[in-house]
Amino acid sequence: MPTLLFVADATAISAILLLRRVTPQSEVIETLAELKPWETTGMQVVQAESELASIYMVYGAAGAGKRAMTSSSSPGVALMQEGITYMAGAEVPGVFVNVQRGGPGLGTIQPSQGDYFQATRGGGNGDYKVIVLAPNSVQEMADFVDLAFELAFKYRNPAMILSDGVIGQMMEKVVLPPQKPRRTDEEVIRECPWASTGKPKNRERVVITSLELKPEIMEQRNLALQEKYRKIEENEVRFEQQQMDDADYAIVAFGSAARLSEKAIEIAREQGVKVGLFRPITLFPFPTKQIAELAKTKKGILVVEINAGQMVQDVRLAVNGAVPVEQFGRLGGIVPEPEEIVEALKEKVMEI
């Protein structure tokens, strides 16, 4: 299962993509290898030997101010957590994609949303956060790459695109963004003064590390990180609502579960049940305040996710007991049917 490193600038390497060939995201690496974009864009390809090698190549490239990215599925991303926490501690921006599959362990190659806790709670050791975007379409998968890089570099923080096997295997029309101009070495240094790009005469030496042996200094670093996360929570919350104005009940779902819930809402409304959809687009920062406000006007909330119940904990914290909050999901790679979601809404929420 090879890992490829994609370097997207021939003159001044400004973007790097490392891909781990793990189902159900193998098509990413296979398509890029077939299209050979380095022949037309200057992108170069390097093969790494493992997930650890992949994430540390991202760490090194991003530490030099380059746009670096890796992609894998659940077991592979689990192996990358050491490097991700190092990047968070060193404030190195990078992007990684997780096309989730069922677990625990090797589990199954079928879809899941079982990595929500791992994504939103950091995943590795220490007190840190990763910016998490949850696409629900092929178009958003494409759009969120640029958005993830924008946010990662804005806040000098790792960013994740948390997809799943449904979206990862889906075929839809997509409008790709125009290719951005390559950055020169001078532009990289100017845009990323924190980056390790050598020591010109007019520049101090830059050291990028997450290690600090003096506890009083390490505490200040941690406090600065927590302040950064608060700014992200204040400024970068993204969400979407559908048919919520007249709804008595709400379904909260992300990713492919939100796509399935759209059909469930259509079926429910045909049966006379007024229900709307709230879709978190950022899982960190989580739309806590928005869901709390939503709960003031609803009789109950059903959280739909393809796992045993993970995001439901964040929804319950947001609602704080104002209305009943229940969860419905399927496990083992089974994707729920919209009709099942409607029945769960009636049984778990409407009959309380």
Side-chain angles (χ1 to χ4, degrees), residues 184-210:
T184 65
D185 288 338
E186 291 75 17
E187 289 173 327
V188 171
I189 293 173
R190 184 169 62 251
E191 294 172 11
C192 307
W194 46 265
S196 180
T197 54
K199 187 182 181 301
K201 293 180 180 179
N202 60 344
R203 188 166 182 249
E204 292 298 320
R205 183 171 67 107
V206 173
V207 177
I208 294 178
T209 181
S210 61

Side-chain angles (χ1 to χ4, degrees), residues 49 56 58 64 69 73 91 155 180 206 251:
E49 63 271 23
Y56 281 115
V58 171
M69 172 181 167
S73 188
E91 295 192 87
Y155 293 100
K180 292 186 175 181
V206 173
I251 291 176

Side-chain angles (χ1 to χ4, degrees), residues 198-341:
K199 187 182 181 301
K201 293 180 180 179
N202 60 344
R203 188 166 182 249
E204 292 298 320
R205 183 171 67 107
V206 173
V207 177
I208 294 178
T209 181
S210 61
L211 177 66
E212 175 52 62
L213 298 181
K214 294 181 179 179
E216 61 275 13
I217 297 178
M218 196 67 217
E219 182 180 44
Q220 292 305 312
R221 283 193 184 180
N222 271 272
L223 291 172
L225 288 176
Q226 296 306 313
E227 179 60 29
K228 177 173 69 175
Y229 302 147
R230 281 190 286 272
K231 290 181 180 178
I232 294 173
E233 290 175 316
E234 291 173 4
N235 300 321
E236 305 301 343
V237 171
R238 289 168 169 80
F239 62 94
E240 178 185 71
Q241 297 187 81
Q242 296 183 23
Q243 302 190 64
M244 200 61 77
D245 290 343
D246 67 339
D248 295 322
Y249 302 93
I251 291 176
V252 179
F254 71 94
S256 61
R259 288 282 289 261
L260 294 163
S261 297
E262 290 179 16
K263 182 62 177 179
I265 288 170
E266 180 183 326
I267 295 170
R269 283 184 171 265
E270 289 174 354
Q271 298 174 4
V273 180
K274 293 181 179 180
V275 57
L277 173 66
F278 185 99
R279 176 172 76 99
I281 295 174
T282 51
L283 302 183
F284 177 78
F286 192 72
T288 301
K289 294 179 181 179
Q290 291 78 9
I291 291 176
E293 194 66 26
L294 174 74
K296 295 178 180 179
T297 61
K298 307 307 172 196
K299 298 178 180 179
I301 295 174
L302 180 69
V303 179
V304 178
E305 45 188 336
I306 310 174
N307 56 41
Q310 297 187 22
M311 184 177 69
V312 65
Q313 295 193 17
D314 287 332
V315 175
R316 285 175 174 151
L317 287 171
V319 171
N320 196 25
V323 296
V325 177
E326 299 295 332
Q327 192 264 359
F328 173 71
R330 297 296 302 271
L331 302 171
I334 296 178
V335 177
E337 297 289 339
E339 291 80 5
E340 293 180 287
I341 297 173

Side-chain angles (χ1 to χ4, degrees), residues 11-27:
T11 56
I13 300 172
S14 62
I16 297 173
L17 178 58
L18 301 103
L19 298 171
R20 190 72 177 112
R21 193 175 183 272
V22 179
T23 307
Q25 65 85 53
S26 304
E27 286 78 4

Side-chain angles (χ1 to χ4, degrees), residues 104-213:
L106 287 176
T108 176
I109 64 173
Q110 305 303 323
S112 173
Q113 293 181 326
D115 299 349
Y116 176 91
F117 280 157
Q118 180 195 69
T120 59
R121 268 62 177 177
N125 64 293
D127 293 307
Y128 75 97
K129 296 286 188 179
V130 170
I131 298 168
V132 184
L133 302 171
N136 79 334
S137 67
V138 178
Q139 183 65 60
E140 286 191 346
M141 282 286 288
D143 293 342
F144 284 3
V145 173
D146 188 55
L147 176 59
F149 274 120
E150 176 187 329
L151 295 175
F153 274 79
K154 180 179 180 179
Y155 293 100
R156 286 183 57 188
N157 202 76
M160 171 188 279
I161 299 174
L162 187 66
S163 182
D164 58 67
V166 175
I167 305 298
Q169 297 289 308
M170 187 179 293
M171 296 181 66
E172 293 181 318
K173 291 183 179 179
V174 59
V175 178
L176 296 176
Q179 182 180 334
K180 292 186 175 181
R182 303 174 193 169
R183 297 181 299 166
T184 65
D185 288 338
E186 291 75 17
E187 289 173 327
V188 171
I189 293 173
R190 184 169 62 251
E191 294 172 11
C192 307
W194 46 265
S196 180
T197 54
K199 187 182 181 301
K201 293 180 180 179
N202 60 344
R203 188 166 182 249
E204 292 298 320
R205 183 171 67 107
V206 173
V207 177
I208 294 178
T209 181
S210 61
L211 177 66
E212 175 52 62
L213 298 181

